[in-house]
Amino acid sequence: MRDDITKVEVRGYRVSGIVQGVGFRWFARHEGRRLGLGGHVRNLPDGSVEVHAQGPVLALEALERALLQGPPGSRVARVELIEADPRTPADEFLLEQW
């Protein structure tokens, strides 16, 4: 059995570009839920979006590809891997207002 199918990780992403005001948080939550991940997503004051997700490595890689694409109306300039938030939920994907 491949390790990346069963191995669970928590990863954090900072997405920059035109990613606020275009439904990016809802898009990220939808993709996370579709992939069976737990996590949370929030807008940051600098105009970027922060996403933290927990689940199998292959699903996290699929989420990262989706974040690079973004929803219609967005223009993703960069997806940066950041330190994962240990508070990331395992069984739900939340929109955060912190």
Side-chain angles (χ1 to χ4, degrees):
M1 180 174 282
R2 291 178 39 187
D3 188 40
D4 54 357
I5 293 174
T6 58
K7 184 177 180 187
V8 173
E9 289 186 4
V10 180
R11 292 187 184 175
Y13 307 94
R14 182 179 305 244
V15 186
S16 58
I18 300 173
V19 293
Q20 289 191 15
V22 294
F24 202 96
R25 288 182 304 143
W26 288 271
F27 169 81
R29 180 179 67 175
H30 171 79
E31 289 300 309
R33 286 178 172 175
R34 182 181 69 78
L35 293 165
L37 298 168
H40 50 100
V41 56
R42 69 178 176 146
N43 286 338
L44 296 177
D46 67 0
S48 65
V49 172
E50 188 176 84
V51 181
H52 294 270
Q54 181 174 170
V57 170
L58 287 178
L60 292 168
E61 290 171 353
L63 176 64
E64 186 172 345
R65 288 190 299 275
L67 296 176
L68 281 163
Q69 188 73 37
S74 71
R75 294 212 176 190
V76 176
R78 182 176 177 189
V79 176
E80 175 185 4
L81 194 59
I82 60 172
E83 185 174 341
D85 185 338
R87 300 174 301 148
T88 301
D91 58 352
E92 57 186 330
F93 215 101
L94 307 171
L95 294 176
E96 294 287 339
Q97 301 292 332
W98 8 288

